[in-house]
Amino acid sequence: MKKEEIVKEFKKLLVEVVDVDENKITGDAHFFKDIGIDSLKAIEITVAIERRFKINVRDEQIPQITTLNQAVSAIEKALQEKNA
Amino acid sequence: MRKKRVVITGVGPISSIGMGQEAFWNGLLNNQDHIREHKEYIGKELWETFRYHKIENFDIHQFGIDRDKLKRIKDWKEGEENEDLNYLLASVKLALDDGKIKNTNDYRIGLVLAHENIGLMPFGLKISGLAYDMLIGKSAQVLGKKDFYAVFYEQFIKSGYDVQGFPNLFHVTQTFDIKNFSLFVNNACASGLYAMETASQIIKNDQSDIVITAVSDHSDIYKYVWFKEIGIYSEKGYMSPFSKNADGILIGDGAAGVMLEDYEHAQKRGAFIYAEYLGGGFDLENWKITVPQIGSQSYQSAIKKALQQSSVAVKDIDVLCAHGVGKKTIDGYESKAITDVFGKNPKDLAITAFKGYLGHTLGASALLETIIILLMMKNNKIIASKNCEDVDPQHHLRLVEKTKECQIKTVMKICCPFAGFNAAVLLKKG
């Protein structure tokens, strides 16, 4: 899956899970500080990421996913590992 | 065949605020917590400093356990002490004494032990020390790989085996001469609730008339380091579940022994009955070890299954004892499950959380808190939720703020532990 597709899919997913304005989701916008996502919603996003991309996000990675760029990078890495 | 009812006829609490029923209850009434700062040294070097709820002056010989039996354990362990096991032994003895069981051979008694990570600390420290000595002493290079493996095995074999459940089960059944169906269970912090359900099923299947359940946890550096690493250890130094300032857990020493018994058997021998064990509900998330699956309905499902198993309606529950770990995400997950089933700010339900007194005693926590419930029923009092006066409004819950007189009939104990082994059990005063 190409990076652009991952970004597009992730944004779609984010809008579905947290009902956020898509224009607010820029690469470095912080989920907690800039988009108003709380720590519970952040975990719910991980649940959705795993389902949508059929990957495993490790427990310790979950708190580290706080921006779109971090999420996309984690998804890319997991997809690469899965397909290796 | 008649459907057996299962009741609770003995309790044995071991905690940082008191050992034995009376001391434990007084500790709760006096709002104690017994938090101490611990400095962990390796040789002369300080590794970590942390606060925890500490049991002090514990002596396994003070509980009236047969000294020859204790000597057998010491012989097997070549003198090495294991407080996880000692706490289990003490809690079983207290529960047997409280249940007025003098000679275990007079009854059909089974045992269900539980622990989250038994023997990990002595094992870990020993293996770390050995590896360090061998590497510094260059023994590894001199010995060669095969001999290094052989020496390593020989040196830590006893501690290694004791990390498993069965030797501990053996030590306890041998000490108290328990001969019926016995089991070691491990379902993280919900272990105590799984142990009670297992005990209930053993009795209902007529394998035993009495089953002792016992759980323990001795605080140690490894647990602290792990919890700190994953960001769930309280920086402020005390637990305040569901509160605005909740920032995580403190670990705590603790153990609990609870004796379950066939109702007719208990009646026949004139035993004091704390409560009836109505049933449990269990639901597994199958998602992560350390993170709850926010958005799932698993915890709600465990609660609903318990209600169904027990044929109890939501409106009939007087008290709900939450897991209450004081970590925002887990508190949020728990409060969502509670309000989904009981409604927001439920008016007729008293909600409690007890880890402010005891810390998080991990595998021991659910059963130790169940003992608080049983003592509340016995003493017609409800115990305040320590450090929970300023509840975060996002939880839509009110917790019991003051210890007060209260007639308690039906109580639910719930738990959302690591690995998503969600559990709920119901107890009813006769």
Side-chain angles (χ1 to χ4, degrees):
Chain A
M1 192 182 252
K2 286 183 184 164
K3 188 171 180 175
E4 299 74 46
E5 283 179 74
I6 297 174
V7 172
K8 197 178 155 196
E9 279 294 305
F10 179 72
K11 280 189 174 182
K12 213 166 103 188
L13 169 160
L14 208 56
V15 171
E16 277 169 23
V17 176
V18 290
D19 192 23
V20 66
D21 178 359
E22 196 174 333
N23 297 322
K24 280 189 176 177
I25 316 167
T26 56
D28 288 323
H30 197 277
F31 290 166
F32 300 170
K33 293 174 198 157
D34 304 322
I35 309 182
I37 294 169
D38 64 14
S39 53
L40 271 91
K41 279 287 175 198
I43 297 173
E44 210 172 329
I45 290 165
T46 311
V47 175
I49 287 174
E50 289 199 341
R51 282 196 189 131
R52 179 71 55 93
F53 296 95
K54 298 189 171 32
I55 54 169
N56 177 43
V57 180
R58 294 198 311 277
D59 292 32
E60 63 272 21
Q61 275 184 302
I62 296 172
Q64 292 163 7
I65 299 175
T66 55
T67 65
L68 176 136
N69 284 344
Q70 287 166 350
V72 171
S73 155
I75 295 164
E76 263 187 311
K77 200 171 168 225
L79 285 171
Q80 278 166 11
E81 282 171 8
K82 191 181 156 190
N83 299 325
Chain B
M1 199 165 79
R2 75 187 162 91
K3 197 179 172 196
K4 286 173 182 269
R5 292 168 66 191
V6 176
V7 293
I8 293 167
T9 51
V11 298
I14 301 277
S15 81
S16 53
I17 61 168
M19 290 181 268
Q21 190 183 138
E22 200 183 328
F24 183 57
W25 182 244
N26 286 335
L28 293 165
L29 292 180
N30 294 324
N31 199 30
Q32 291 175 1
D33 60 23
H34 208 78
I35 297 170
R36 295 292 180 268
E37 187 176 275
H38 174 73
K39 289 182 185 298
E40 183 80 24
Y41 283 93
I42 302 298
K44 285 180 182 169
E45 289 175 81
L46 180 64
W47 183 0
E48 286 283 0
T49 302
F50 60 96
R51 282 159 64 86
Y52 75 103
H53 295 251
K54 184 181 184 183
I55 289 180
E56 295 196 88
N57 305 317
F58 177 88
D59 176 7
I60 189 59
H61 295 99
Q62 76 189 81
F63 297 93
I65 301 171
D66 186 330
R67 283 177 180 257
D68 290 338
K69 298 281 179 64
L70 293 176
K71 174 77 170 40
R72 281 172 180 261
I73 298 172
K74 208 169 178 178
D75 288 347
W76 165 258
K77 291 181 169 294
E78 296 174 342
E80 200 174 84
E81 287 293 337
N82 181 342
E83 294 296 53
D84 286 326
L85 175 59
N86 284 340
Y87 290 171
L88 283 173
L89 290 162
S91 63
V92 170
K93 182 66 165 69
L94 287 171
L96 284 167
D97 288 349
D98 187 44
K100 308 278 184 287
I101 302 293
K102 286 203 175 94
N103 185 354
T104 50
N105 279 313
D106 292 344
Y107 306 95
R108 295 194 308 153
I109 300 185
L111 178 73
V112 181
L113 289 186
H115 198 288
E116 197 160 325
N117 36 41
I118 195 155
L120 182 66
M121 183 175 156
F123 172 71
L125 290 180
K126 196 170 175 178
I127 198 168
S128 301
L130 181 65
Y132 180 82
D133 290 347
M134 292 184 88
L135 291 171
I136 293 299
K138 311 281 183 198
S139 310
Q141 290 163 24
V142 176
L143 284 170
K145 198 168 179 181
K146 177 186 73 69
D147 288 342
F148 181 87
Y149 272 61
V151 170
F152 220 78
Y153 177 77
E154 192 182 312
Q155 291 290 320
F156 78 82
I157 181 170
K158 290 280 170 64
S159 305
Y161 282 137
D162 282 354
V163 175
Q164 300 168 99
F166 85 85
N168 296 283
L169 189 62
F170 167 77
H171 293 313
V172 180
T173 54
Q174 185 188 54
T175 299
F176 299 108
D177 206 13
I178 291 170
K179 290 177 173 164
N180 268 299
F181 185 89
S182 296
L183 197 67
F184 192 98
V185 304
N186 185 342
N187 295 80
C189 307
S191 294
L193 304 187
Y194 282 79
M196 277 203 294
E197 175 63 22
T198 308
S200 167
Q201 290 181 18
I202 293 169
I203 292 167
K204 285 177 177 168
N205 287 334
D206 201 32
Q207 292 276 357
S208 291
D209 297 312
I210 294 171
V211 178
I212 313 287
T213 56
V215 295
S216 77
D217 198 88
H218 180 240
S219 303
D220 65 51
I221 180 78
Y222 292 125
K223 291 160 199 163
Y224 164 71
V225 170
W226 188 29
F227 294 146
K228 192 182 166 202
E229 261 178 21
I230 60 175
I232 62 169
Y233 212 81
S234 168
E235 291 289 334
K236 72 178 187 302
Y238 63 91
M239 291 182 70
S240 52
F242 303 106
S243 300
K244 287 178 186 163
N245 68 352
D247 71 342
I249 69 162
L250 287 196
I251 49 177
D253 292 331
V258 170
M259 193 161 96
L260 290 93
E261 186 167 356
D262 171 43
Y263 171 64
E264 286 188 7
H265 189 270
Q267 269 202 325
K268 211 175 281 178
R269 70 181 187 91
F272 173 76
I273 293 173
Y274 285 88
E276 179 170 359
Y277 176 85
L278 294 179
F282 304 86
D283 198 277
L284 278 55
E285 287 171 9
N286 298 325
W287 193 55
K288 303 282 175 201
I289 297 272
T290 61
V291 187
Q293 193 181 25
I294 309 289
S296 83
Q297 287 289 308
S298 175
Y299 204 12
Q300 289 88 330
S301 174
I303 294 169
K304 288 174 187 168
K305 284 178 188 175
L307 291 165
Q308 200 176 9
Q309 285 285 333
S310 311
S311 305
V312 168
V314 163
K315 65 174 177 50
D316 295 329
I317 299 175
D318 305 314
V319 179
L320 177 80
C321 179
H323 189 38
V325 292
K327 175 74 187 165
K328 295 268 183 207
T329 47
I330 306 172
D331 282 356
Y333 177 68
E334 185 161 38
S335 62
K336 175 79 168 56
I338 295 170
T339 52
D340 276 359
V341 179
F342 296 92
K344 288 182 177 175
N345 296 307
K347 228 171 51 186
D348 299 322
L349 179 71
I351 302 172
T352 63
F354 296 130
K355 288 182 176 64
Y357 297 96
L358 308 168
H360 194 345
T361 58
L362 307 181
S365 61
L367 203 60
L368 195 52
E369 289 165 23
T370 297
I371 294 183
I372 300 180
I373 294 167
L374 295 166
L375 295 179
M376 292 197 311
M377 285 173 160
K378 180 182 172 187
N379 293 294
N380 298 316
K381 266 197 168 73
I382 191 158
I383 295 290
S385 305
K386 188 173 171 62
N387 307 331
C388 303
E389 297 82 6
D390 196 12
V391 172
D392 190 328
Q394 73 174 3
H395 294 308
H396 304 288
L397 298 175
R398 279 187 308 271
L399 274 79
V400 176
E401 287 180 21
K402 281 187 180 161
T403 297
K404 58 188 178 196
E405 299 290 324
C406 186
Q407 296 291 325
I408 300 165
K409 187 112 175 144
T410 308
V411 180
M412 179 179 268
K413 168 69 195 145
I414 57 174
C415 185
C416 53
F418 269 5
F421 296 143
N422 295 317
V425 304
L426 272 154
L427 303 162
K428 188 177 181 180
K429 190 174 175 179

